[in-house]
Amino acid sequence: MDSRTIAFIIRRAIYAVFTLLILIVFIFVLIHVIAPNPISLAKIYSGVPHGSLTFYAAYAKTHGLDAPVYVQIFTYIINIFKGNFGIDPIKDQPVITLIGKYLPRTLEFVLTGIVISIILGLYTGAYAAARRRKPADNTVKGFYLATWSMPTFLLAAVLQLVIAYDLRLLPAINMVDPTLRAPPDVLAFPILNALWARDWPYLISLIHHMILPTLAIALLSFGIITRLTRSTMLDVMETDYFRLTLMKGVPRNKAIYSVALRNASIPLVTYIVLDLAFSVAGAVVIEEIFSYHGIGYYIVQAIYNLDYPAILGTTIIIALTIIVANLIADILYGVLDPRVRLE
Amino acid sequence: MLLSIKNLNVSYNTVAGKYKVIDNLNLDVEEGELVSLVGESASGKSTLGQVISRMLPPVGIATGEVTLDSVNILKLSEKEMTKLRGTTVFMIFQNPLNSLNPVKRVGTQLLEALFIRNERTRHQMTEDDARKEVIEAMTSLRLPDPEKIMLRYPHELSGGQVQRVVICMALLLRPKLLIADEPTTALDVTIQAQVIKLLRDLNKQTGLSIIFITHDIGLAYVLSNRMLVFYAGRVMELGKTTDLVKKPMHPYTSGLIASIPSAPKDSGRLYSIPGSPPSYLDLPNGCKFSPRCKFVFNKCLNEEPNAIVTNGREIRCWLYE
Amino acid sequence: MTDASLPAQMIRKEKVKKSNRLIEYIKLMIKDPSAILGLIIVVAFLGWSLIQGTLELFFGTTGPAIALLPHDPFSYNLPMHLHPPTLTYIFGTNTYGEDIWSRMLYAMPRDAFISILVVLSAILIGGILGVFAGYRGKFTDETVMRITDAFLSLPALVLVIALSVMFDETLSGVILALVIIWWPIYARFFRAQTLRIKNLDYVQAAKLNNVSFTRLFFRYLFMNSLDPIIAYAALDFGNVILTYSTLAFLGIGLEPPIPELGSMASNGVGTLPTGWWYAIFPGLAILVIVIGFVLVGDRMQDIISNRINY
Ligand SMILES: Nc1ncnc2c1ncn2[C@@H]1O[C@H](COP(=O)(O)OP(=O)(O)OP(=O)(O)O)[C@@H](O)[C@H]1O
Ligand SMILES: [Mg+2]
């Protein structure tokens, strides 16, 4: 890696920190717009929706909610960087602990689903682009239009109905067979925990339960990735350098899957991160349908219970995940595209 | 005969409508010949080059017969054509600025070309020898510091350097027929002369045939044995370069020659043919050049002349019928 | 530029080109069968929404507002509950025995209204910020783009949920929340476009001609950036409808008796095993509408990037 690439990465990292700060300030401002005085602030931060006035007043005092705004924003930022998102009043545990428990479960199937859809989507997108306007192209287009344009919950519900209830191929709900005892939580991710403890029945049950949600996520982002791949591939296939590659005598298929796909993958990196954000949102719905207890389930519970600390905490943590993913994408972009390093 | 084109018609099927860009073209190119293709912008020069290398965009439709190395390439499948591209026919596209793959080093792309040739000729070559040959080819094109340039990415080169890298690719592939579509536009005069000389030497030494596309008659004069004057997708005049330039017969050819800045007559005043080329969607009825022709008479407006051969020259004009 | 009349000429030329281009555009649109299909869907959906929406606006849930529908969408008919599709009830009935097709028709204006409002507001906000950032450059640009990045990294759905809960879950709260997450992508588009066109001749000419800043901003930069953005926006209407339907599934942003396609489909999810039609038909309606928008948007994209020919 040359010095230019490193400088590029450092600048992107600084951008990421700025982005996070702006985000936190936005959320802070938002809370203060909704709750302009210490009492209503206490109502939000304490997570107790129907407390007494004296309780809120006391809470505001102990948590410095009556301090000047600039002090408050400072404390808020410090708290967030310390991972202090408050206490979840319903589960009576720190929000950060609960996120640490639920987020890995979601990432497990969301990342698997995305990886599957990237591999498939890149391939089908390139395949369709290579056969533009031919029946194969139209079939691919029809398929991704259908999976993409269907509301996520309906897609998941239909999958569940057909595969789990009608055909009885896979379990319909839950993350794991509830009769099994969970192995000790060492590595945060349930699958890794099961592997660590060599608890095979538990592992198999986990994977069994994971297939349908993963499939739903994969179908959800498959459309986006295929469509983007197809259109960027078409752009590349019209460039002079692609034509010169053919002119040299490189077989068309080789040119498509090496030169064109390689160049098309550069802009795709950014989109795949957007897709991650999109899929996390999809996970909320999918977890609800499959009663899969991940971060989405936690968010939905928080919404039903008007549990503000949980809502704010998850929003920030997920945004942070996306920012980090964005940073990785930027770096990848720099590695993939020699032109970026010039900037 | 290396290349023989018979009754070639090319149309573009666009949203604006379908229009014919090349009309009933016939052309033979012998091995070792240097043919230049001149004509104003949009006369269909690049289109012809793309037909011969079968690189027309999907909207372009070519009918007729293009026999290259004794096969009709218009009838070949994409797979069979791939085997001819590169080593039998190679085209340097116009505007080579974006012709190199932005994510691969220049050296890799040049080596790739060399490997394709070696593979086709079943020639074994060590990595080192290949590198040496690439560097040699680059040196012959006056590319400074070839080793360094090989390690660079295309965006780190100047336009003229990219152009020479693409020409270098042609040298490495050693095609039988090279189509060079205005290959020297981004080069300064000294290097341009160098490249032209190199192409001529190659032709002498290896018998490489070249179709040289340009709108600079001066360049065409220096380089080619035969010249083909193109107007609205039709051959207006075709003959030995020296004859054609010294004694142009077709009014269009004379017009073109008169507009060369260094032409001796009318010194000081720059001549240009009045009017502008017609739109393919709305071509004039008779001779396509008639609206701009000094010698136009009635017949020109109603009937299109056929190509006839006089004095070893092919010409399409009513003046000579 | 010595000739004072030159910029004025250029300005006029721009105008002529615009109106011609619209006709040209429409001609190109209807040359592609799938784009025609998309146009039919979109025009039918928007046209129906306009008519029915006007009626609903003035008459609420009774009288003329339901005159065009095959059945009263609000008439409980418990003996007929969850009845499969028949000739009278072409899409069957829901758990209350209400006609699903009538309720879908009644629901459409709401989806049209929400998507149009969200996308247009996002274009306006994103456009102003994006053009401003692109035009001013330097520090302004950096600041606006970092803010945009921050918003882009918010997972759309999670923020909408968070915001709409805070804004008391009313329809306007949801719309506001949707707008807040919808503008950044447009800001990026507009900025990129502005960077591209701000140095073009006619913009420079307008500047030399002392065109006022607001005019320069809106007529020259904003309006001329619009082309590729409209193509994306066309497809984006569908995205809003999808996101909104997801919110409806999570029980956010709807006033219960009033039907909306997303909420109808999500209410039906519970009865999928016994009455598939309850969820499937409203879901299919969403699917068809979204596909319609995508087909139109795709074709526009093709026209703009000159990929129309083949
Ligand atoms: N891909 C295409 N689609 C539609 N029309 C095309 C396409 N390529 C070329 N044409 C049209 O064909 C005609 C001939 O173009 P061509 O590029 O062959 O001209 P040329 O003689 O090479 O001109 P120049 O000297 O400017 O390079 C032009 O009218 C051009 O508009
Ligand atoms: Mg040309």
Side-chain angles (χ1 to χ4, degrees):
Chain A
M1 228 186 271
D2 52 45
S3 58
R4 256 192 210 151
T5 316
I6 292 168
F8 174 80
I9 292 174
I10 291 174
R11 205 179 47 239
R12 288 286 141 171
I14 294 173
Y15 278 3
V17 173
F18 265 114
T19 308
L20 184 65
L21 277 178
I22 291 172
L23 194 84
I24 294 171
V25 171
F26 168 72
I27 290 177
F28 178 83
V29 170
L30 195 73
I31 299 169
H32 281 250
V33 168
I34 300 167
N37 54 58
I39 298 296
S40 42
L41 274 175
K43 217 168 173 172
I44 287 181
Y45 285 128
S46 67
V48 181
H50 307 294
S52 66
L53 208 60
T54 42
F55 167 77
Y56 287 138
Y59 187 91
K61 224 178 184 76
T62 49
H63 289 77
L65 299 180
D66 45 4
V69 176
Y70 65 90
V71 177
Q72 283 194 48
I73 196 162
F74 200 66
T75 352
Y76 188 72
I77 292 174
I78 301 261
N79 271 335
I80 282 177
F81 276 94
K82 275 194 197 147
N84 180 5
F85 295 105
I87 308 286
D88 185 311
I90 288 131
K91 309 221 163 172
D92 206 20
Q93 283 178 40
V95 169
I96 190 72
T97 315
L98 290 166
I99 292 176
K101 174 175 159 199
Y102 288 119
L103 188 62
R105 298 174 174 183
T106 301
L107 287 180
E108 219 166 62
F109 80 88
V110 167
L111 289 180
T112 318
I114 287 183
V115 168
I116 292 174
S117 65
I118 287 174
I119 294 170
L120 283 180
L122 279 180
Y123 182 75
T124 22
Y127 181 87
R131 287 162 187 72
R132 175 143 218 248
R133 292 275 152 98
K134 303 239 169 74
D137 180 25
N138 289 329
T139 313
V140 170
K141 196 170 172 185
F143 184 71
Y144 77 66
L145 274 182
T147 55
W148 179 23
S149 308
M150 197 174 334
T152 316
F153 62 85
L154 200 61
L155 184 76
V158 170
L159 273 182
Q160 186 187 41
L161 180 69
V162 175
I163 298 181
Y165 287 123
D166 283 353
L167 302 175
R168 299 188 174 282
L169 292 176
L170 290 165
I173 54 166
N174 290 338
M175 193 184 85
V176 66
D177 186 343
T179 57
L180 294 175
R181 258 180 68 97
D185 183 10
V186 190
L187 299 166
F189 291 84
I191 288 193
L192 296 184
N193 285 338
L195 277 172
W196 180 260
R198 292 169 201 279
D199 187 346
W200 308 130
Y202 194 81
L203 181 70
I204 291 170
S205 174
L206 271 177
I207 293 177
H208 226 171
H209 284 80
M210 210 176 99
I211 294 176
L212 278 182
T214 309
L215 185 63
I217 284 283
L219 279 177
L220 191 66
S221 59
F222 169 80
I224 300 172
I225 293 179
T226 310
R227 182 169 177 277
L228 284 168
T229 310
R230 181 177 170 278
S231 72
T232 34
M233 282 289 288
L234 287 176
D235 287 340
V236 174
M237 283 163 66
E238 273 162 32
T239 59
D240 290 342
Y241 60 82
F242 183 76
R243 280 160 38 92
L244 190 74
T245 310
L246 293 180
M247 193 68 251
K248 267 199 278 195
V250 176
R252 194 175 135 85
N253 263 334
K254 191 177 165 209
I256 286 175
Y257 293 105
S258 63
V259 177
L261 195 52
R262 169 75 175 73
N263 276 284
S265 67
I266 297 168
L268 281 174
V269 169
T270 324
Y271 288 116
I272 285 170
V273 173
L274 286 180
D275 179 53
L276 177 70
F278 185 77
S279 300
V280 169
V284 175
V285 172
I286 288 168
E287 288 180 6
E288 175 76 6
I289 296 235
F290 292 105
S291 306
Y292 202 91
H293 289 190
I295 196 85
Y297 163 83
Y298 183 49
I299 292 172
V300 174
Q301 293 306 309
I303 290 165
Y304 290 155
N305 298 324
L306 284 187
D307 177 353
Y308 286 100
I311 295 173
L312 294 172
T314 43
T315 305
I316 288 173
I317 287 291
I318 291 176
L320 183 67
T321 317
I322 307 291
I323 289 175
V324 170
N326 242 321
L327 181 63
I328 294 173
D330 274 343
I331 293 171
L332 257 180
Y333 205 114
V335 172
L336 283 175
D337 189 347
R339 284 164 296 185
V340 171
R341 291 173 227 151
L342 255 192
E343 232 181 76
Chain B
M1 191 84 60
L2 180 61
L3 171 74
S4 158
I5 301 176
K6 289 209 174 63
N7 302 328
L8 176 70
N9 287 288
V10 183
S11 318
Y12 283 111
N13 197 359
T14 68
V15 221
K18 185 173 170 165
Y19 52 88
K20 203 182 222 182
V21 171
I22 291 182
D23 187 81
N24 202 14
L25 181 130
N26 293 289
L27 174 71
D28 290 337
V29 178
E30 302 282 349
E31 251 154 76
E33 229 186 334
L34 287 170
V35 180
S36 58
L37 197 57
V38 298
E40 282 166 296
S41 187
S43 53
K45 305 182 297 290
S46 302
T47 304
L48 180 59
Q50 288 169 5
V51 171
I52 302 170
S53 52
R54 263 260 318 251
M55 290 298 296
L56 272 184
V59 269
I61 303 149
T63 58
E65 231 178 84
V66 178
T67 313
L68 177 68
D69 217 12
S70 61
V71 270
N72 182 359
I73 57 163
L74 294 189
K75 291 230 158 66
L76 291 185
S77 69
E78 182 66 25
K79 226 182 189 155
E80 291 163 324
M81 189 62 214
T82 300
K83 292 192 191 119
L84 296 185
R85 288 203 191 109
T87 47
T88 302
V89 56
F90 183 77
M91 178 165 174
I92 298 169
F93 297 123
Q94 202 169 0
N95 286 327
L97 251 185
N98 300 317
S99 281
L100 296 177
N101 187 346
V103 299
K104 273 197 203 158
R105 292 180 200 278
V106 171
T108 320
Q109 300 188 48
L110 286 172
L111 283 168
E112 192 182 24
L114 183 57
F115 290 148
I116 286 173
R117 188 191 86 206
N118 285 339
E119 196 186 341
R120 302 254 172 93
T121 54
R122 301 186 193 288
H123 185 76
Q124 300 285 336
M125 196 182 261
T126 63
E127 189 92 6
D128 261 1
D129 286 344
R131 206 166 287 278
K132 237 178 246 161
E133 182 166 348
V134 169
I135 288 173
E136 226 167 79
M138 289 170 87
T139 317
S140 72
L141 284 162
R142 301 250 153 153
L143 276 163
D145 264 335
E147 284 100 340
K148 265 196 200 139
I149 289 191
M150 280 182 79
L151 291 177
R152 296 220 192 125
Y153 287 98
H155 71 271
E156 296 164 329
L157 302 187
S158 75
Q161 285 174 327
V162 173
Q163 198 154 39
R164 275 174 287 165
V165 168
V166 177
I167 298 174
C168 185
M169 214 173 261
L171 301 187
L172 293 168
L173 282 161
R174 287 198 204 144
K176 291 181 183 160
L177 174 64
L178 172 66
I179 304 163
D181 195 349
E182 312 201 8
T184 57
T185 42
L187 305 181
D188 51 59
V189 192
T190 41
I191 296 180
Q192 174 170 316
Q194 201 72 37
V195 169
I196 297 290
K197 185 170 173 301
L198 181 87
L199 289 178
R200 234 177 28 199
D201 291 349
L202 269 174
N203 163 264
K204 279 222 183 73
Q205 289 155 15
T206 64
L208 161 78
S209 308
I210 301 178
I211 295 179
F212 186 76
I213 299 177
T214 179
H215 34 229
D216 184 341
I217 292 206
L219 273 186
Y221 180 70
V222 181
L223 184 69
S224 64
N225 321 128
R226 249 190 331 149
M227 187 187 278
L228 189 150
V229 180
F230 232 45
Y231 187 79
R234 285 148 175 85
V235 182
M236 287 302 177
E237 193 166 2
L238 168 67
K240 276 185 73 176
T241 306
T242 38
D243 295 355
L244 219 81
V245 173
K246 289 203 174 114
K247 270 201 217 98
M249 286 168 79
H250 198 289
Y252 179 58
T253 318
S254 356
L256 279 183
I257 289 166
S259 13
I260 304 175
S262 59
K265 43 187 162 173
D266 286 335
S267 54
R269 261 186 61 230
L270 205 55
Y271 176 79
S272 72
I273 307 173
S276 52
S279 148
Y280 285 101
L281 286 170
D282 186 25
L283 284 176
N285 261 336
C287 173
K288 306 307 168 218
F289 185 60
S290 58
R292 304 170 69 190
C293 184
K294 275 196 272 196
F295 309 104
V296 61
F297 52 97
N298 239 345
K299 200 170 183 187
C300 303
L301 296 176
N302 302 320
E303 228 180 299
E304 177 156 28
N306 285 319
I308 54 154
V309 181
T310 49
N311 301 339
R313 209 184 281 197
E314 191 183 318
I315 191 159
R316 193 192 281 268
C317 180
W318 285 127
L319 285 173
Y320 301 94
E321 200 117 328
Chain C
M1 223 157 280
T2 46
D3 189 349
S5 71
L6 191 59
Q9 264 172 10
M10 284 177 169
I11 294 162
R12 237 175 279 129
K13 215 163 132 201
E14 255 308 292
K15 267 187 193 159
V16 174
K17 250 173 67 194
K18 269 258 143 80
S19 65
N20 275 346
R21 237 174 31 202
L22 189 68
I23 299 169
E24 195 65 14
Y25 213 91
I26 293 170
K27 270 195 202 154
L28 292 179
M29 273 310 286
I30 57 178
K31 280 207 169 144
D32 177 47
S34 58
I36 296 178
L37 178 67
L39 268 183
I40 292 175
I41 295 170
V42 168
V43 169
F45 169 61
L46 293 182
W48 169 257
S49 298
L50 186 68
I51 299 168
Q52 175 67 19
T54 318
L55 292 177
E56 285 174 28
L57 196 63
F58 288 110
F59 301 102
T61 58
T62 52
I66 55 172
L68 298 174
L69 310 175
H71 298 274
D72 180 347
F74 302 107
S75 79
Y76 276 33
N77 187 357
L78 289 178
M80 277 294 286
H81 84 278
L82 225 43
H83 199 278
T86 59
L87 280 182
T88 18
Y89 299 105
I90 53 168
F91 289 162
T93 63
N94 67 10
T95 39
Y96 299 114
E98 294 162 336
D99 179 36
I100 289 177
W101 175 227
S102 304
R103 285 179 69 82
M104 279 164 63
L105 287 175
Y106 190 88
M108 285 179 194
R110 215 148 284 100
D111 289 278
F113 173 74
I114 294 166
S115 58
I116 290 174
L117 194 63
V118 170
V119 172
L120 289 190
S121 318
I123 289 180
L124 200 65
I125 299 171
I128 290 174
L129 284 173
V131 171
F132 195 62
Y135 183 69
R136 292 291 294 272
K138 303 214 177 77
F139 184 70
T140 320
D141 188 22
E142 283 291 325
T143 316
V144 174
M145 282 350 271
R146 291 291 80 71
I147 295 175
T148 309
D149 276 355
F151 279 83
L152 267 182
S153 49
L154 281 170
L157 188 75
V158 179
L159 184 69
V160 176
I161 294 173
L163 285 174
S164 51
V165 170
M166 293 179 188
F167 288 121
D168 272 354
E169 291 197 26
T170 58
L171 186 64
S172 45
V174 175
I175 291 178
L176 184 64
L178 282 171
V179 172
I180 288 179
I181 57 158
W182 230 263
W183 66 266
I185 206 115
Y186 286 96
R188 279 208 173 173
F189 280 155
F190 271 101
R191 172 180 173 269
Q193 282 294 313
T194 306
L195 287 181
R196 198 176 59 76
I197 62 175
K198 78 172 176 188
N199 290 322
L200 291 187
D201 285 349
Y202 67 92
V203 176
Q204 294 298 331
K207 260 206 241 169
L208 284 174
N209 235 23
N210 280 332
V211 170
S212 73
F213 179 73
T214 25
R215 201 175 148 76
L216 182 76
F217 194 91
F218 285 101
R219 285 231 21 117
Y220 289 81
L221 298 171
F222 186 87
M223 292 309 275
N224 285 308
S225 301
L226 266 178
D227 270 5
I229 290 158
I230 287 176
Y232 177 81
L235 173 160
D236 213 19
F237 289 114
N239 290 340
V240 177
I241 295 180
L242 279 177
T243 306
Y244 188 78
S245 78
T246 304
L247 290 177
F249 171 73
L250 295 172
I252 293 165
L254 64 151
E255 304 107 283
I258 306 293
E260 182 276 331
L261 291 176
S263 60
M264 287 177 71
S266 58
N267 289 339
V269 164
T271 57
L272 259 180
T274 46
W276 54 269
W277 52 89
Y278 186 8
I280 294 294
F281 285 117
L284 276 182
I286 293 176
L287 181 96
V288 168
I289 292 168
V290 174
I291 286 182
F293 280 118
V294 173
L295 290 177
V296 171
D298 268 0
R299 178 65 178 171
M300 284 178 160
Q301 190 59 56
D302 276 358
I303 293 176
I304 287 159
S305 53
N306 239 325
R307 225 189 275 132
I308 17 172
N309 308 339
Y310 50 93

